[in-house]
Amino acid sequence: MMRLLKPVSVADTARLVRMCAQWLKDELGLEIVEYRIGNAFTGSIDILAVDRGRVYLVTVNTGRLSDAILESLTGYRWFCENSEFLHRVYRSGSIDLLQKPVLVLLSPEYPPEIHSVLRLGLAVEFRLFKYLVLGSEDEPDLYVEEAHGHEAATAPAAFDPAEIRRELGIEKAGLGDEEIVEFLAAVRGH
Amino acid sequence: MSVKDRPKLGRGLNDVSRFFLTPAARCGQEPREGTVPLARPASICVCHPASPLIQSAFTANLALETARNRRKAVVWDCSDQENARLTALMGSLLETGPGQGGASGRVGLYGLPEIVIHDGRAGWGFQGAETDDGVRMDEGDGREPLVIVNACPTIEFFLAAPDADEHVVITGTGEKDLLQSYAFIRVIDARSPRCRVSLIFDHAEDEVRQQRIIQRFSAFVLARTGRSVRHLGSLVHDEALERSIAEGRPLVLQQGPSEARSSFAGICALLIEGCEHAHEGAGS
């Protein structure tokens, strides 16, 4: 007999967030630092996690994707404004919240080319995961997979030397585009 | 000179302490035999393109370490950010307020040469490093005063600023931080080809990564400019540093032992020592 598994919605978002956190811990090896940190006025993060050298600011989308992206970016701003304080509070042997943050979004679905849109529009790194809740509301099962951007190979790189010069206030230093490219390649060890 | 020869002795604690506790030349004393006034005193310019506040905190501690090394420090504060002014970061130590005596502030430490702070927003120079009669101040044991410039961390400032003997660039270790610092070094190199350049990491990660970054950075700078960059270490951030900035009480003098204090003091000591050796080399 064939059974069709239909997605179920979990009304208890706190429970869903904890299930996602468990997946991030088990499958990606992240260390969970805190849940639901921040506030609704200035920004919040559903899951704050770390691994070696990176900080992950995780948002779990339980509504509209546009709201979740806005929540993620607002949470990112809140984190940047409070990172030193958070670092002092949560610092331990394995937790260093002053590392470069990565925004992680878990959502049931994404529009096409979301990766190239985010890459072109934002300076901060995003990782997108699709999730699906099956089973029943009382006993939900979570399935998660990373949403890889298949369009990434053909998307133009978001690298604009003139913009970097403006951002860093070094327009008058006389660095050419080629020199900037070579410098960045050198410090990356290429 | 004996105590009884000291004119107007007893005018105040600073005078007395300076007179009795330092091996420095006394006011009115002839320069030591063989001391030749140089064209200009040694100078260090400090710049942190991404953080004027950490830059000024470092400059304040460098000035205090200079005094601890029994050298007068003449500091030109060119920072245009109000909360990063040295008069704010050394507020608890200032003897004179803004506008008094030509300097924007003075710090007198018991038994040590003073620190004179000038407002350098309209430019800086080597004036202020002389005695009243115009002779280059000599502290008696051959230690020249040190001019420290707390830079305005913009490319425009460096395109117009006078030469300093040593430029200290403080930088984060992110790619953009390093690129920004490289741009400043390129300008410094073009403007002051003979100066020395030192690099300090601000709040860097582990030692291994620091070494990897400085190797790559230095190799690139060397290939592009033919100049070697000296790495002095990494400034540690902790609560003591935050407290010192918030209270205007510098780390090396007015905060208890901490990782940040050790890192600031150690790097300042390296910088001052290197400056002395370079100056000795230049004189010989």
Side-chain angles (χ1 to χ4, degrees), chain A residues 96 98-99, chain B residues 48 54 58 168-174 177-178 198-214 230-238 241 251-252 258-271:
Chain A
D96 179 359
L98 295 176
Q99 303 295 330
Chain B
H48 189 328
I54 296 297
F58 180 79
V168 178
V169 179
I170 308 173
T171 179
T173 53
D177 292 320
L178 293 167
S198 296
L199 198 70
I200 298 171
F201 287 149
D202 184 19
H203 198 52
E205 303 87 347
D206 60 276
E207 192 74 29
V208 175
R209 183 157 185 269
Q210 278 187 55
Q211 288 306 319
R212 197 167 59 229
I213 291 171
I214 192 64
R230 187 166 61 128
H231 180 224
L232 297 177
S234 174
L235 299 176
V236 174
H237 285 215
D238 64 9
L241 173 61
L251 269 177
V252 297
S258 69
E259 284 186 45
R261 192 177 88 165
S262 299
S263 70
F264 274 69
I267 289 172
C268 289
L270 276 176
L271 192 54

Side-chain angles (χ1 to χ4, degrees), chain B residues 109-176:
Chain B
L109 300 169
Y110 191 82
L112 295 173
E114 68 178 349
I115 297 167
V116 182
I117 302 171
H118 291 284
D119 187 342
R121 281 176 288 191
W124 68 274
F126 293 95
Q127 61 271 34
E130 299 91 14
T131 52
D132 292 341
D133 57 2
V135 177
R136 163 95 166 280
M137 184 174 176
D138 181 348
E139 291 293 339
D141 58 355
R143 288 172 179 266
E144 311 292 345
L146 183 63
V147 174
I148 301 172
V149 182
N150 190 43
C152 176
T154 62
I155 291 290
E156 288 77 5
F157 174 86
F158 283 91
L159 285 170
D163 277 1
D165 298 317
E166 172 132 18
H167 283 271
V168 178
V169 179
I170 308 173
T171 179
T173 53
E175 284 179 3
K176 287 185 179 175

Side-chain angles (χ1 to χ4, degrees), chain A residues 88 98 168 179 182 188, chain B residues 175 182 186 203 224 242:
Chain A
R88 282 204 306 278
L98 295 176
L168 301 179
E179 191 171 2
E182 287 176 8
R188 287 169 187 160
Chain B
E175 284 179 3
Y182 170 68
R186 288 281 274 141
H203 198 52
R224 282 284 177 162
E242 291 173 18

Side-chain angles (χ1 to χ4, degrees), chain A residues 75-90:
Chain A
Y76 172 56
R77 187 193 64 176
W78 178 86
F79 176 82
C80 292
E81 288 172 348
N82 296 281
S83 59
E84 297 212 347
F85 168 75
L86 294 169
H87 179 67
R88 282 204 306 278
V89 172
Y90 291 104

Side-chain angles (χ1 to χ4, degrees), chain B:
Chain B
M1 180 185 285
S2 64
V3 173
K4 65 183 179 183
D5 298 329
R6 166 73 166 150
K8 298 177 184 174
L9 186 66
R11 287 183 299 178
L13 191 58
N14 283 330
D15 268 355
V16 175
S17 65
R18 205 165 283 138
F19 188 70
F20 283 110
L21 301 181
T22 75
R26 320 303 178 203
C27 292
Q29 188 178 358
E30 292 296 318
R32 282 186 314 153
E33 199 174 329
T35 302
V36 181
L38 299 176
R40 67 178 213 189
S43 52
I44 295 177
C45 182
V46 180
C47 171
H48 189 328
S51 175
L53 201 56
I54 296 297
Q55 172 192 306
S56 297
F58 180 79
T59 305
N61 286 291
L62 178 61
L64 287 166
E65 285 295 310
T66 302
R68 193 211 295 271
N69 276 268
R70 298 180 183 274
R71 293 178 73 169
K72 177 182 177 181
V74 179
V75 186
W76 286 89
D77 187 6
C78 306
S79 173
D80 57 1
Q81 191 172 307
E82 273 313 311
N83 68 337
R85 302 282 300 160
L86 285 172
T87 41
L89 291 169
M90 302 177 86
S92 64
L93 293 169
L94 291 180
E95 283 184 350
T96 55
Q100 295 176 23
S104 54
R106 286 174 193 274
V107 175
L109 300 169
Y110 191 82
L112 295 173
E114 68 178 349
I115 297 167
V116 182
I117 302 171
H118 291 284
D119 187 342
R121 281 176 288 191
W124 68 274
F126 293 95
Q127 61 271 34
E130 299 91 14
T131 52
D132 292 341
D133 57 2
V135 177
R136 163 95 166 280
M137 184 174 176
D138 181 348
E139 291 293 339
D141 58 355
R143 288 172 179 266
E144 311 292 345
L146 183 63
V147 174
I148 301 172
V149 182
N150 190 43
C152 176
T154 62
I155 291 290
E156 288 77 5
F157 174 86
F158 283 91
L159 285 170
D163 277 1
D165 298 317
E166 172 132 18
H167 283 271
V168 178
V169 179
I170 308 173
T171 179
T173 53
E175 284 179 3
K176 287 185 179 175
D177 292 320
L178 293 167
L179 176 62
Q180 192 178 33
S181 297
Y182 170 68
F184 276 73
I185 291 173
R186 288 281 274 141
V187 172
I188 290 166
D189 179 63
R191 292 272 306 164
S192 316
R194 288 194 301 176
C195 75
R196 281 165 286 125
V197 175
S198 296
L199 198 70
I200 298 171
F201 287 149
D202 184 19
H203 198 52
E205 303 87 347
D206 60 276
E207 192 74 29
V208 175
R209 183 157 185 269
Q210 278 187 55
Q211 288 306 319
R212 197 167 59 229
I213 291 171
I214 192 64
Q215 280 171 6
R216 291 171 182 170
F217 186 91
S218 303
F220 191 85
V221 173
L222 186 64
R224 282 284 177 162
T225 67
R227 158 192 297 285
S228 59
V229 174
R230 187 166 61 128
H231 180 224
L232 297 177
S234 174
L235 299 176
V236 174
H237 285 215
D238 64 9
E239 287 180 45
L241 173 61
E242 291 173 18
R243 198 166 50 244
S244 80
I245 291 172
E247 296 173 357
R249 298 166 65 85
L251 269 177
V252 297
L253 187 69
Q254 293 180 296
Q255 301 292 334
S258 69
E259 284 186 45
R261 192 177 88 165
S262 299
S263 70
F264 274 69
I267 289 172
C268 289
L270 276 176
L271 192 54
I272 293 166
E273 188 184 8
C275 191
E276 281 176 0
H277 288 160
H279 219 58
E280 283 167 12
S284 60

